[in-house]
Amino acid sequence: MRLHVGCAMWTHAPWRGRFLPHPLPPQDRLRAYATWCNAVEGNTTFYATPATDAVESWARQTGPDFRLVVKLPKSITHERRLQGADEELRAFLRAIEPLGPRAHALWVQLPASFAPGDLGALAAFLRDLPRSHRYAVEVRHRAFFEDARSERLLEGVLTGAGAEWVPFDTTTLFQSPPVSDAERDAWMKKPRVPYRSRALTDRPIVRYLGRDSTERTVEGWQRWIGTVTEWLREGRSPTVFVHTPDNADAPALARRFHDEVRARLPGIEPLPEPDPVEPLTLF
């Protein structure tokens, strides 16, 4: 059994000298991160299709079992809303080819305005995608969570294409008012959608957002510990991404999540030992 855990990025200023050596050349940052976590969200590709040499560097820095969940560019999902974007999609698929099996799933994150009435566009888009990749879809329109018919329709579209529904669990953040600048910023920007934990495939993907407080973050993920444990017992292979508003401790928190699940299922393969942050000396 393997549980993959990770963060929203592989480099972050507060991690320097704590989780990752500093200074560290850009071509080594993902490799260092991959000693802490065995998965990462590919959020940067939302803003632009990456250069081939950058993707080749990502592949060199990680093993074939490392998982990147790579977000489709916003030009496809938000600007063209999945229609008439064949050229952009082909360019994106060519760019990520060097990742090989590391491209665990292509992540279709849709805007909050993408409503049940738009499901025809999603169905057509998924139907035309190459079968060489897995796909995962994140929706933010509340009707998909609160209206049973809309939920069933979306599940039908996804199941028909073998795609997963990615929940972004922000319920812990919104349980009580923010207490820091980072939490206030997250309150303004993050989606406020109901909790969902139903997996549609054998490779579920979860995005969990906690608080700046480690105690509250850990308290909030306890139901995910049970869900992920059950998925593993069922033979599924989940990937869980741990966020906090400031993400300052995200690598350690992701490993703690893995440890808590492994405490229930000791057969889970352990994570690698992190690289030392400081050079080893004799004194």
Side-chain angles (χ1 to χ4, degrees), residues 21-52:
H22 183 67
L24 192 63
Q27 64 269 22
D28 291 329
R29 291 172 183 169
L30 178 54
R31 182 204 58 76
Y33 166 90
T35 69
W36 278 87
C37 299
N38 55 4
V40 73
E41 292 183 359
N43 280 293
T44 59
T45 56
F46 179 71
Y47 301 99
T49 294
T52 301

